[in-house]
Amino acid sequence: MEADSLATLVELSPDAICVHENGVVTYANRAALEAFAACTADEVVGRRFTDFVTEDSRPALLEKLVLLTEPGAATEPVEALMSRLDGSKFAVETQTVLMAGNSYQVVMRDITAKKAASDALRYQAALVAHVSDALIATTGEGVVTSWNPAAETVYGWTAAEAVGRRASELVGAPLDLPALRRRGGVAEALHRGRDGAPLTVRVSAAEMNDGWVLVCADETARRRAEQNYRTVVASLDEGVLMVGPGGLIEAANPAACRILGVAEADLIGVPCHTLVLFTEGGQWIPPDEMPSVQTRRTGVTHNGLVVRLRRPDGRDVWVSLTSRLLNPDDPTAATVVTSFTDISETRAISARLAHDATHDPLTRLANRTLVLDRLDVRARRSAATVLFLDLDKFKVINDSLGHSVGDQVLRIVGERLRRCSGRADLVGRLGGDEFVVVTNEVTEPGEVRALAEHLRAALAEPIGVLGRQLHLDASIGVVLVDGADRRSAEDLLRDADVAMYQAKTLGRGRHHFFDVGLRERMQRRLRMEQDLRDAVHDGQLWPAYQPVVDLKTGEMVAVEALLRWTHPRHGAISPAEFIPLAEESDLINVIGKEMLRATTRELASRRANQGLDLTLKVNISTRQLDDPHLVPAVQDALTSTGLPPSALCLEVTESALMRDQEAAGEVLAALRSLGVLLAIDDFGTGYSSLAQLRRLTLDTLKIDRSFITGIAESRDAEAIVTSIIAMAHAVDLTVIAEGVETAEQLDLLRKLDCDQAQGYHLGRPVSAAELFGTQ
């Protein structure tokens, strides 16, 4: 009977009770079934008890079981998160009792409501702790019982110092809380911080139990900002009027009174349409079209309207006026702010401004705007000639002597062009060191050539600046225009620019006539540049390898990696066409890094798998030499591919090294520290000497192919090559001859004691698979 009674008590217990043996549930009372959202005991009994415990709560429960060693022993209460059959969660406080064998009775008390209440209290406490307003609780007599962190910040007293003291002492002002409540519970007051600093505070008071709760919002900063704003508006040179919803002027700053010639007392309360305004065309603006009236009616802001305002004294003032809603986020408020600036003086010098707008301020020549305007008119009227001039190497003057000297040179250039041109010709400066001459008098090709050379000769005369004699030259692009030409002024300048660019490409210091073929070539160049950008990402670029042969043994000792481009539409593109495109853009650095990584990976693989003892030669361009990421890129390529540094030779052209020897020397020294070999390419074309090159710690010298081509036919070429080889060997440089195309050239190079050679006679550039075979 006692057992039955006990079972009934367990079954009817409001706490959920389960029994599990070896981790499997053998019993669950009604409360447990309800807790687990089970309809019958079969849904619970037979399942592992841990199925009903969330994964995060299992370790704590299982750790407690280990501590139970004797029947009847019970664990301390443990909080856990349980899982119902429908997947929902509920919090419980569990206590486990060890029964006979491996059976455990688990009592689970639902504490969801308790935790919610606790969380709510913590949330309220957090609000009090983190709210930005000071919250102060006091007794009925005004003694502080609670003082939140914001109160500490606002008044400077810590909570420990504040609790137990009278609130009026802490806020530095008397607090008549009952009177404040009678006035609505909210008021603005002047309080003082602990340091005596005045505080503008909005105080809200409410009774609570036998005391008060004060909310004190510090508005000191806002009031100070408002005062500062009023001070700023009052000191503005710009007039400001506030026009209310009824169209009456409600406020005016001193500048508005000064510009309008009216005292403030005579403005306030006056309808805004009493101001007399006229358009730029001289038309009177009626009251319903006044800017402030339109803005109030439509909500649309009027910016920078130029109007003429007639003052009461009869004087006219030109103003630039802006009219906008005071609160754009609330168009229904309809209060309008009208601001205006006196531009009378600006209008008085408008003619001068118009001239400045169409002339270059430095040279006083026509600027681009005026050139385009006049060119459009002249080219339509009759035949004309456009000469586009760009100074050669002017950047050197700017960089070495400074912009002030450069400006002086530009002024002299402008004056010389004006003096050499006809009286009716238009001479302009387009910007930088670009000038243009447009003439209707000289239109025959022969005469135009003579004019172009005359202009070049005038510019080539020495220019004396700061005791220096500077020498200039120019590249000139020429466009001939006949009466039937339908090109726009922009098109004519563009074509002249294209012709000028071609003159520079052909060697600077010359003139070149534009033709349609040139434009097509330039357009192709632009298309090819874009295609090259796509080629970098589409895998169209690939490395070819050309053998380098030791002339004593006849064996291949190195390969030079050469970039190739297979265009999807045009097929193979010559490196002579696409390499300059890459050089002139930022592509060469991207392409160079990709090719360096690909070729070092290829040669490292061939050396490892085929036992090839070869050196990889890779070209480094001028732009790459200026790239601060070059050295890290080389180091990364060697590290990631496993190619020994001594198996990589980086080749730099002689002209690149001579351009800035000091900077080049620093980069080569950094590369040398990686252990790679260094070579000078195209030697003989850059006007260097071996004495200069010796300072650059090079390993190899490559004689330019132009000397090798004529070596068998020209004694001069043979003598030059002989001298280069002798001098290079004198400073321990390995000499390579490039461009070897005949057996006769090869035999002669052997006799001259050249070390290595490469060229079509020894092997054309081919793919890695074609040169080395498949791996």
Side-chain angles (χ1 to χ4, degrees), residues 295-316:
T295 297
R296 185 171 61 252
R297 184 170 61 243
T298 65
V300 176
T301 297
H302 295 275
N303 280 316
L305 292 177
V306 176
V307 296
R308 179 163 52 89
L309 185 149
R310 179 153 298 166
R311 293 162 39 123
D313 59 7
R315 175 188 163 198
D316 285 343

Side-chain angles (χ1 to χ4, degrees), residues 64-76 95-100 103-105:
K64 296 296 183 182
L65 294 184
V66 178
L67 302 177
L68 303 180
T69 57
E70 297 180 0
T75 65
E76 297 177 353
Q95 191 165 21
T96 304
V97 180
L98 176 61
M99 302 173 66
S103 295
Y104 296 89
Q105 176 179 288

Side-chain angles (χ1 to χ4, degrees), residues 522-716:
M522 292 303 297
Q523 290 174 344
R524 170 182 167 83
R525 181 183 180 89
L526 291 174
R527 288 195 301 270
M528 293 300 287
E529 181 176 348
Q530 182 55 52
D531 289 348
L532 183 58
R533 292 183 182 276
D534 297 335
V536 174
H537 305 291
D538 296 345
Q540 300 169 23
L541 300 176
W542 57 278
Y545 298 89
Q546 184 175 34
V548 179
V549 175
D550 186 293
L551 294 184
K552 290 185 175 62
T553 64
E555 296 181 352
M556 180 172 63
V557 292
V559 290
E560 181 176 0
L562 299 168
L563 188 61
R564 294 294 182 262
W565 179 13
T566 303
H567 194 283
R569 293 191 306 277
H570 305 301
I573 305 297
S574 169
E577 181 176 4
F578 75 82
I579 291 295
L581 289 179
E583 285 277 5
E584 292 172 11
S585 65
D586 58 348
L587 291 175
I588 193 63
N589 292 327
V590 177
I591 294 173
K593 291 173 186 175
E594 290 296 325
M595 289 301 105
L596 179 65
R597 182 179 291 273
T599 53
T600 52
R601 184 188 302 111
E602 180 71 42
L603 198 66
S605 174
R606 296 288 179 176
R607 286 169 60 95
N609 297 333
Q610 298 177 231
L612 300 177
D613 185 16
L614 296 176
T615 299
L616 173 66
K617 297 182 179 296
V618 178
N619 292 297
I620 299 297
S621 74
T622 305
R623 290 289 295 274
Q624 286 178 278
L625 209 59
D626 295 334
D627 183 6
H629 303 294
L630 172 63
V631 177
V634 173
Q635 185 174 22
D636 178 65
L638 294 172
T639 303
S640 61
T641 63
L643 183 70
S646 60
L648 176 62
C649 180
L650 300 178
E651 298 186 352
V652 184
T653 63
E654 182 184 15
S655 58
L657 293 178
M658 293 303 100
R659 182 176 56 88
D660 188 341
Q661 293 185 54
E662 184 176 349
E666 293 178 1
V667 176
L668 294 185
L671 291 170
R672 168 71 73 183
S673 68
L674 301 179
V676 302
L677 303 177
L678 301 173
I680 180 171
D681 198 6
D682 300 337
F683 184 78
T685 62
Y687 308 104
S688 66
S689 67
L690 287 175
Q692 291 173 301
L693 299 179
R694 191 174 184 182
R695 297 196 300 270
L696 300 177
T697 63
L698 300 168
D699 300 287
T700 303
L701 179 148
K702 293 185 74 172
I703 304 175
D704 185 69
R705 66 178 62 247
S706 62
F707 297 105
I708 306 302
T709 300
I711 191 174
E713 295 81 19
S714 169
R715 290 193 175 187
D716 290 342

Side-chain angles (χ1 to χ4, degrees), residues 405-546:
V405 173
D407 288 347
Q408 188 173 348
V409 169
L410 292 175
R411 282 192 290 267
I412 294 173
V413 167
E415 181 56 38
R416 289 184 180 182
L417 291 177
R418 185 188 291 111
R419 190 174 63 243
C420 294
S421 302
R423 184 169 297 180
D425 295 342
L426 175 68
V427 181
R429 179 183 176 221
L430 301 179
D433 58 345
E434 295 179 341
F435 295 83
V436 66
V437 175
V438 181
T439 177
N440 292 95
E441 305 297 327
V442 182
T443 57
E444 292 299 322
E447 296 176 343
V448 172
R449 289 190 181 91
L451 174 60
E453 290 307 312
H454 178 57
L455 294 176
R456 281 192 53 234
L459 298 182
E461 293 178 7
I463 297 177
V465 179
L466 297 179
R468 296 172 177 264
Q469 292 294 311
L470 304 179
H471 298 272
L472 289 177
D473 206 336
S475 299
I476 304 176
V478 182
V479 171
L480 300 178
V481 187
D482 58 33
D485 201 312
R486 291 294 174 262
R487 283 176 290 180
S488 68
E490 285 280 6
D491 291 340
L492 293 174
L493 275 188
R494 177 204 62 199
D495 291 345
D497 190 6
V498 168
M500 181 278 297
Y501 185 86
Q502 183 67 9
K504 280 191 178 293
T505 302
L506 294 175
R508 304 177 188 271
R510 63 183 66 199
H511 66 271
H512 192 84
F513 282 79
F514 173 82
D515 60 64
V516 175
L518 177 58
R519 180 197 296 159
E520 291 174 350
R521 291 194 296 274
M522 292 303 297
Q523 290 174 344
R524 170 182 167 83
R525 181 183 180 89
L526 291 174
R527 288 195 301 270
M528 293 300 287
E529 181 176 348
Q530 182 55 52
D531 289 348
L532 183 58
R533 292 183 182 276
D534 297 335
V536 174
H537 305 291
D538 296 345
Q540 300 169 23
L541 300 176
W542 57 278
Y545 298 89
Q546 184 175 34

